[in-house]
Amino acid sequence: MIAVFLSRLLLYFTAVSAVLFHKGIAVSYDTAGIVLYFILIPVMAVFGYLPSRRTLRTGTGMTLKVSLVSAAAITAVTTLFFAGMGAAPWKFIGYGAGAYLLTLALFRFKWFSVSALEVLFTAGIYVRLINFTRGSEQIARTHEGFTRVLLFIALGALAAHILVLYRASATEHRAREGNGQGRKPLRDYLILLLVIVPVLLVSALLVSPDYIEHSVVFNQLFNKAEPDPSPIDGNPNRDPGGSIRGNEGLETRRGRNGEPGLSGIPSDQWGEQTGGGTGIDKQYAVMVVASKQDPVYLADDYKDRFDSREGFYPSADNPLNELVFTRFVETWENPLGLEDTRRLPTDVAVFSVRRERVLAYYPVKAAPLVFNTRYHPFNYSYESVSEISIADRWDWTQVPELSDKERTEYAGDLAVPLDEATEKELKAYLAGILDGSESPGEKVLNILMSFKEHQYNLGFKEDTSVAFIRDFLLVTKTGDCTEFSNAAALLGRLAGVPSRVVTGYLASSGLQTRSHLFGLYNLKQNMPPLEKYPIQDLFLVTTAHRHSWPQFYLPGLGWIDFESTDYAIPPPPGGDANEREVVIPLISEQTVRGENFRMPWRLLFQILVTGIVAGTAALYILQGFVILMLKRKIRTPSIAGVRAAERLLLISLIRDGKPPRRYSQTLTEYADTLEGIRDMNEFAGLYNELRFRLHLRNFNDSYTRLASLCRSIPEKAKNKGFSAALARLFSLKGLRYL
């Protein structure tokens, strides 16, 4: 049954490891996923295998009770340290118990139908993986060779498992009949192979590599834009601090009939560098956001540390920043509770051209990132749930002062190390807008209202140093959202309010011009996933909506997103990135066939040869290890040593070309079939005496003779000659008795 168990593990690891090697799958495992799928489930399978019927019958090895207790303890420990909170612990417990019980049913109770169901279940996983990797014509064409190899590997693993399962089932059936008669193993294999191999080959060769459908639509927009080679997130040498003034009204827009223009680029011409956002007259689509909340601040970087010269910067250990790049194979759930009031659980769906995840504060759940180029360039989609603050101006002004506990907890968000001269100047600025009696919320509002004398204007110098922010506040009084947000957070800390700077994207109805809305309408018509959302719940987020804003902590309400540009002087003509022409991709609908598929024969041959060599080497190592362990057991007189001597002798004889012992034969009957080996009958007699007679007085003497015969019989029966020695050296027939 060891072959069934190993093939079962191979089938499982092939399935769960596929996402690690295919470039077309953007999902990987987090720490909890690695522990669950690569450690806990295999370990539970091992513990389910150990109390097999043969081990229990001989009275040696792990008992069912010990196995059950050990499995429960390991599941409890891994769940406690790695599962976190929410639904994850039940998943650890359920998957671990399932792996243990299914393995126990197969190997302890010989319910082979369980393994047959596992094969069907794993086949379903392979089908989903292959369909997932072929989510569009582009990815199917780019990765079709590896996908086809994955298909062959999947079918090969399934076929091998079916063969081993069939053989084990037939062996068990013959053993129960007790006569060992019936169809021979080789004939069993040949009959099954005649059915399986043609089916698998036809399935692998006839699956079309270009079955993904796309459509071509006419350009229904105003103009057709040429692809811009600029990076999609702007100049990489710039800090992506933002370029818009939040929550502007439609009356501030200009372009056709007072609106910016709208144009489209065919999706197959929308490359990774299309639409940089640094162009003079265009803003390019970055994502479509679906949410009932308005506005939605989608964060990708929390700058919660402060340097006396460089200003705000992100800390390395902030878990909110890790969520941007972490890939989940299952829905992530925030293990930390939230006691803040005036928050509303809000579902947010994102269809993005960017791989990085953006989430609204406070994130509660985040689904795995789905990579699907069917609607290129919106290749990445995911859903999340966030507890978004719905506190209003009145709520902000009613909060109390920070408690001593909160001051200690948020000491890092209050730290503002400044040189003496700068601190004196900024505190003087604060003294002019605060009288010292305000609550934390009133302080924040007064700070923001003090910007009514500052001019908003689109800038390209993303300097967030303390010296530059000081000049913005006191001298130039002109900047974009980067300067406003960093200045607000800096003044907030000086006023005793925990503050930090957040960057990301702003989805707001105030930024949706007629051109944005018309672009959304076009995308919704050609992207079926958007059809379920009302148009009023959709936001077209472009490169112009890259944003920077401050977050302030207010007691009882928690961290709240504030718009630092609300009171600024509106930008002059040309000073707002949202005035630029809107460019969206033209999603296709008509089928476009991929290139002719070329079978990667060389790669398949390399994989086949590598697999054969590695598998053969593993079998030789396994056989050698078993022989070594049997020899060690023989050294100590015991029942286990008696059984080890029998197995070692049978392995030595079959490797030398002697006929194998049939399953229905006793050792005495087998000895009678070996003509010319005189001592074999004596060995059989000693074995039966030591193995089955209780309270044998001369056990040690008989055992010494048995061990001696175990070593001498193979030497006397050994075939002579170089060819016989070579065959004995490379024989794997001993695996029959493993």
Side-chain angles (χ1 to χ4, degrees):
M1 297 297 286
I2 183 65
V4 180
F5 180 73
L6 293 178
S7 67
R8 186 169 177 260
L9 279 184
L10 173 64
L11 187 68
Y12 171 76
F13 278 118
T14 304
V16 298
S17 302
V19 296
L20 301 177
F21 301 101
H22 200 298
K23 296 180 180 179
I25 304 178
V27 181
S28 63
Y29 295 98
D30 57 354
T31 302
I34 292 175
V35 172
L36 174 60
Y37 292 104
F38 292 92
I39 298 179
L40 179 60
I41 291 179
V43 169
M44 290 299 99
V46 171
F47 276 95
Y49 170 74
L50 291 178
S52 62
R53 188 177 63 180
R54 177 183 298 178
T55 305
L56 290 175
R57 188 171 64 244
T58 58
T60 60
M62 182 174 290
T63 64
L64 181 59
K65 182 178 180 180
V66 173
S67 170
L68 182 61
V69 173
S70 302
I74 293 176
T75 302
V77 171
T78 53
T79 301
L80 179 64
F81 285 97
F82 297 100
M85 304 297 291
W90 297 109
K91 187 172 296 182
F92 269 63
I93 296 172
Y95 286 12
Y100 176 81
L101 294 176
L102 288 174
T103 307
L104 192 68
L106 175 61
F107 296 98
R108 176 67 174 86
F109 302 106
K110 312 299 181 184
W111 293 350
F112 289 97
S113 57
V114 171
S115 188
L117 293 175
E118 288 179 352
V119 173
L120 296 177
F121 176 75
T122 312
I125 295 178
Y126 285 127
V127 171
R128 291 192 64 184
L129 285 175
I130 293 172
N131 285 335
F132 186 55
T133 62
R134 303 168 65 80
S136 71
E137 182 271 336
Q138 180 190 21
I139 189 174
R141 180 171 56 188
T142 305
H143 304 291
E144 61 188 1
F146 193 91
T147 302
R148 188 61 63 94
V149 171
L150 175 62
L151 180 61
F152 270 99
I153 293 175
L155 294 174
L158 290 172
H161 189 71
I162 292 172
L163 286 172
V164 174
L165 178 64
Y166 181 80
R167 173 63 199 282
S169 177
T171 302
E172 179 67 18
H173 179 69
R174 285 193 296 270
R176 290 178 178 177
E177 288 183 346
N179 52 19
Q181 302 300 319
R183 193 173 293 155
K184 301 299 182 182
L186 180 59
R187 187 177 177 186
D188 291 340
Y189 285 135
L190 291 177
I191 292 175
L192 197 58
L193 284 173
L194 289 176
V195 177
I196 291 179
V197 172
V199 173
L200 297 181
L201 289 178
V202 170
S203 301
L205 294 174
L206 295 186
V207 173
S208 172
D210 55 2
Y211 62 83
I212 305 300
E213 295 185 355
H214 275 280
S215 301
V216 176
V217 297
F218 295 105
N219 186 357
Q220 303 172 358
L221 309 181
F222 306 144
N223 305 297
K224 180 176 180 180
E226 295 298 328
D228 190 329
S230 302
I232 199 165
D233 281 328
N235 190 330
N237 295 323
R238 295 178 61 210
D239 176 30
S243 57
I244 68 167
R245 178 171 180 258
N247 299 322
E248 297 180 67
L250 294 179
E251 64 275 5
T252 64
R253 305 294 185 264
R254 63 184 180 84
R256 177 176 299 187
N257 297 325
E259 301 293 334
L262 176 64
S263 45
I265 295 177
S267 60
D268 58 349
Q269 299 179 33
W270 192 294
E272 292 183 0
Q273 293 184 339
T274 300
T278 59
I280 299 299
D281 59 350
K282 293 180 177 64
Q283 52 175 309
Y284 293 84
V286 176
M287 63 186 73
V288 176
V289 178
S291 173
K292 292 186 177 297
Q293 187 69 16
D294 180 21
V296 180
Y297 288 85
L298 298 168
D300 60 14
D301 198 11
Y302 290 82
K303 300 180 179 181
D304 52 359
R305 293 294 177 264
F306 189 84
D307 181 78
S308 60
R309 295 183 59 185
E310 300 301 324
F312 288 94
Y313 66 95
S315 60
D317 57 349
N318 192 327
L320 294 174
N321 290 330
E322 295 177 0
L323 290 176
V324 176
F325 303 100
T326 303
R327 305 301 176 206
F328 306 113
V329 73
E330 297 175 316
T331 298
W332 169 85
E333 296 186 8
N334 197 329
L336 303 178
L338 189 66
E339 298 180 356
D340 301 337
T341 60
R342 301 288 290 158
R343 289 190 178 272
L344 180 67
T346 304
D347 295 323
V348 180
V350 177
F351 304 85
S352 178
V353 303
R354 304 172 72 243
R355 180 187 294 266
E356 295 79 18
R357 183 186 288 106
V358 291
L359 299 173
Y361 187 86
Y362 174 78
V364 177
K365 292 183 180 180
L369 181 72
V370 177
F371 179 68
N372 184 352
T373 56
R374 179 181 292 274
Y375 309 112
H376 179 76
F378 298 105
N379 300 333
Y380 305 95
S381 62
Y382 49 92
E383 296 179 346
S384 63
V385 178
S386 295
E387 296 274 358
I388 298 179
S389 176
I390 57 173
D392 55 20
R393 187 186 186 96
W394 188 87
D395 295 318
W396 302 337
T397 60
Q398 301 305 308
V399 298
E401 291 291 337
L402 293 175
S403 65
D404 293 338
K405 180 181 178 182
E406 288 174 319
R407 291 186 181 279
T408 301
E409 182 177 357
Y410 297 103
D413 300 296
L414 288 167
V416 55
L418 295 171
D419 62 77
E420 185 177 353
T422 302
E423 183 176 1
K424 183 178 180 180
E425 289 179 316
L426 295 181
K427 284 187 175 180
Y429 177 91
L430 268 179
I433 60 177
L434 302 179
D435 60 12
S437 62
E438 299 95 335
S439 67
E442 291 172 327
K443 292 179 181 178
V444 171
L445 291 176
N446 287 338
I447 289 173
L448 298 182
M449 285 189 291
S450 73
F451 294 152
K452 62 185 178 181
E453 298 180 357
H454 289 68
Q455 173 73 58
Y456 178 93
N457 196 9
L458 182 63
F460 295 96
K461 186 177 181 181
E462 301 295 334
D463 189 349
T464 60
S465 66
V466 173
F468 187 82
I469 299 303
R470 176 260 177 201
D471 289 342
F472 161 74
L473 278 171
L474 306 177
V475 181
T476 64
K477 297 186 178 182
T478 300
D480 58 22
C481 61
T482 300
E483 287 78 19
F484 280 91
S485 60
N486 280 266
L490 175 56
L491 293 174
R493 292 197 176 190
L494 286 172
V497 181
S499 314
R500 61 192 180 192
V501 176
V502 186
T503 60
Y505 289 88
L506 175 58
S508 170
S509 60
L511 299 174
Q512 302 296 294
T513 68
R514 290 171 59 90
S515 296
H516 291 90
L517 295 176
F518 192 83
L520 275 175
Y521 178 76
N522 180 276
L523 292 173
K524 186 176 180 181
Q525 283 186 318
N526 298 289
M527 292 179 62
L530 298 180
E531 293 179 355
K532 64 180 181 179
Y533 301 105
I535 191 69
Q536 62 268 22
D537 292 344
L538 294 176
F539 305 91
L540 176 59
V541 178
T542 69
T543 50
H545 299 162
R546 181 72 182 166
H547 197 34
S548 177
W549 64 93
Q551 274 190 352
F552 296 98
Y553 176 82
L554 300 181
L557 300 179
W559 288 100
I560 300 178
D561 302 305
F562 280 85
E563 185 50 60
S564 55
T565 63
D566 269 347
Y567 297 95
I569 301 173
D576 185 358
N578 210 44
E579 297 175 346
R580 297 170 177 171
E581 181 180 9
V582 179
V583 183
I584 67 170
L586 299 175
I587 307 298
S588 301
E589 289 183 358
Q590 186 176 353
T591 301
V592 179
R593 293 294 178 183
E595 299 176 352
N596 293 330
F597 172 74
R598 294 182 181 180
M599 181 66 70
W601 294 113
R602 183 173 182 179
L603 178 61
L604 287 175
F605 178 77
Q606 292 175 345
I607 293 176
L608 179 62
V609 171
T610 302
I612 292 175
V613 172
T616 303
L619 292 177
Y620 278 113
I621 293 173
L622 176 62
Q623 180 178 261
F625 177 78
V626 171
I627 292 175
L628 179 63
M629 296 304 296
L630 292 176
K631 288 182 178 180
R632 290 190 60 185
K633 284 187 178 182
I634 293 177
R635 298 175 184 174
T636 304
S638 63
I639 296 298
V642 173
R643 296 181 64 250
E646 177 208 24
R647 290 179 62 192
L648 182 61
L649 178 59
L650 294 176
I651 291 174
S652 300
L653 292 176
I654 196 173
R655 292 184 65 202
D656 199 60
K658 302 301 185 293
R661 172 186 170 186
R662 292 187 304 179
Y663 294 103
S664 60
Q665 283 182 319
T666 64
L667 189 59
T668 302
E669 292 172 340
Y670 176 66
D672 294 336
T673 64
L674 299 177
E675 299 179 359
I677 304 180
R678 301 177 182 178
D679 297 333
M680 192 63 194
N681 287 319
E682 182 183 357
F683 181 91
L686 287 172
Y687 173 84
N688 292 331
E689 183 179 61
L690 294 171
R691 180 72 175 80
F692 301 107
R693 286 189 61 181
L694 300 177
H695 310 296
L696 189 64
R697 294 181 179 179
N698 57 342
F699 181 92
N700 289 340
D701 294 338
S702 299
Y703 184 87
T704 302
R705 176 58 180 167
L706 180 78
S708 176
L709 290 174
C710 180
R711 291 186 290 267
S712 63
I713 291 176
E715 289 294 325
K716 295 178 181 179
K718 184 183 299 183
N719 293 326
K720 309 300 181 182
F722 176 78
S723 59
L726 196 63
R728 188 165 47 250
L729 178 64
F730 291 100
S731 175
L732 287 173
K733 294 181 179 180
L735 295 174
R736 176 186 178 91
Y737 299 107
L738 298 188

